[in-house]
Amino acid sequence: MRRCCLLLAAAATTSAELTQIRLGLEWFLNPDHLPFVVALCKGYFAEAELAVSLVEPADHWEAEQEIMAGRLDVAVTETLHLAQDAAAGKPVLGFSRFLHTDGGVMFLAGSNITRPSDMCGRTISYPGSPGPGGPAIVQTMVEADGGACDLASYGKHNGGFYHTQALSEKKADLATLIFYNFEVIEAENLGLRPGFFSLKEWGVPDFCQLVLFTTPERFHAMQPALRKFVLAVRRATGFIHREPTRAAEIFKAHVVASAPPPTKGASSWIRRLFDSLNPVAARKRRREAKVEAATITATLPAFPNDNSIAESYFVGLMAWLVKTGQVDQQKADQVPPSTYWTNSISL
């Protein structure tokens, strides 16, 4: 549990027994998780008689396996991965959306890309390469722009989620599965002059949405507590919308309080002193602080008041996955949206 929030949560609760919820994040703690941090630090979870811990993955993990093993209760994923996991036969059930940002493809100035059809045959950086996901996204955009391209013509680069680095080092011409509020903002603040094509404007389902999920078994066992969790996060979202500056301050303070203590010893003390006096290190810190502040500002409007998702959305998403060869039609037919998404506690 994060130290600053633990103190506030303890103060907000007296004798009530708290229900533990271990929430597995999809990545390191970042501004996308702001509603959870606000709910912790403002005591909203504690007032709902919940003891919530945010668990960062040490590496990639199969969150549903962590839930089945009893190490997590709930986890974060994207709607795209939720549908793919359901089609793969994994026991997943999504129940609340908490972030909806703009996502798509990013490229840099000088790449001679001015419209989606210009991406034909270019090298794509995307997590999961050399799988079909990256080319499926780009090809859909190319065709939506009236282009015709051989699917096998695309180059593939797996730079993980380090999209900006892959482009700046010219290891790829474009990067996909990006969030505008992260990678585009980062590239802008590094002076890289990024360009961007949005999924929703070029024929690709708008899947840059973060949702909460668990297993069906765990959902039914914890449904009352999960309803309280959703309401506490919704309350935090309202606070973010009303007081964005204060919400950003809460997040920054939480990150500082959560940082591991500096290592002891003469060598580490000397290294910290050197870093504090080193102008190169100082410039790097200022640049990182600027990017972090810009990212928080860009993320603040991305938290929806409506946590539900319509069934028709998942129907369209699965149809696109089938059309682009990412999911087999027979497997898709076996998992209608009602088997992997519920609005029963999100409304």
Side-chain angles (χ1 to χ4, degrees), residues 78-118:
E78 294 180 37
T79 52
L80 173 69
H81 303 314
L82 183 71
Q84 290 173 321
D85 287 347
K90 296 182 179 181
V92 294
L93 183 63
F95 59 87
S96 183
R97 174 183 60 162
F98 69 89
L99 179 131
H100 189 171
T101 187
D102 202 0
V105 173
M106 182 174 74
F107 51 93
L108 301 182
S111 61
N112 293 320
I113 296 174
T114 59
R115 55 184 310 114
S117 56
D118 294 334

Side-chain angles (χ1 to χ4, degrees), residues 51-229:
V52 176
S53 54
L54 308 182
V55 185
E56 299 179 17
D59 198 352
H60 174 75
W61 60 12
E62 299 295 337
E64 81 286 346
Q65 294 181 12
E66 296 294 308
I67 294 170
M68 288 189 292
R71 291 186 287 268
L72 294 176
D73 299 299
V74 177
V76 174
T77 191
E78 294 180 37
T79 52
L80 173 69
H81 303 314
L82 183 71
Q84 290 173 321
D85 287 347
K90 296 182 179 181
V92 294
L93 183 63
F95 59 87
S96 183
R97 174 183 60 162
F98 69 89
L99 179 131
H100 189 171
T101 187
D102 202 0
V105 173
M106 182 174 74
F107 51 93
L108 301 182
S111 61
N112 293 320
I113 296 174
T114 59
R115 55 184 310 114
S117 56
D118 294 334
M119 298 189 294
C120 179
R122 299 299 189 95
T123 296
I124 312 166
S125 180
Y126 62 102
S129 173
I137 293 169
V138 175
Q139 181 77 347
T140 300
M141 290 182 157
V142 168
E143 292 175 353
D145 191 33
C149 195
D150 182 355
L151 192 60
S153 69
Y154 295 102
K156 302 174 183 178
H157 171 70
N158 192 340
F161 288 99
Y162 297 99
H163 304 297
T164 306
Q165 181 179 338
L167 297 184
S168 64
E169 294 178 353
K170 301 188 184 304
K171 294 179 179 178
D173 302 303
L174 42 116
T176 191
L177 291 175
I178 70 157
F179 280 11
Y180 188 95
N181 61 308
F182 264 85
E183 285 81 13
V184 175
I185 296 300
E186 176 186 39
E188 286 178 347
N189 280 272
L190 293 176
L192 295 176
R193 297 167 57 206
F196 174 76
F197 298 133
S198 176
L199 299 177
K200 64 183 184 297
E201 296 173 9
W202 295 101
V204 183
D206 184 10
F207 54 68
C208 287
Q209 306 181 53
L210 293 181
V211 300
L212 300 171
F213 83 98
T214 186
T215 63
E217 180 180 4
R218 199 76 182 128
F219 178 82
H220 293 300
M222 297 188 66
Q223 187 166 343
L226 294 179
R227 171 62 173 170
K228 291 181 180 180
F229 183 95

Side-chain angles (χ1 to χ4, degrees), residues 12 29 32 36 39 69 90 95 111 124 127 133 148 165 206 225 230 277 293 296 309 322-323:
L29 183 71
D32 285 350
F36 308 140
K90 296 182 179 181
F95 59 87
S111 61
I124 312 166
Q165 181 179 338
D206 184 10
V230 169
L277 299 175
I296 292 175
I309 299 180
V322 170
K323 179 182 178 181

Side-chain angles (χ1 to χ4, degrees), residues 237-253:
T237 298
F239 178 86
I240 293 167
H241 292 165
R242 292 189 302 273
E243 300 189 46
T245 301
R246 179 63 186 133
E249 291 171 350
I250 288 172
F251 181 81
K252 293 174 185 177

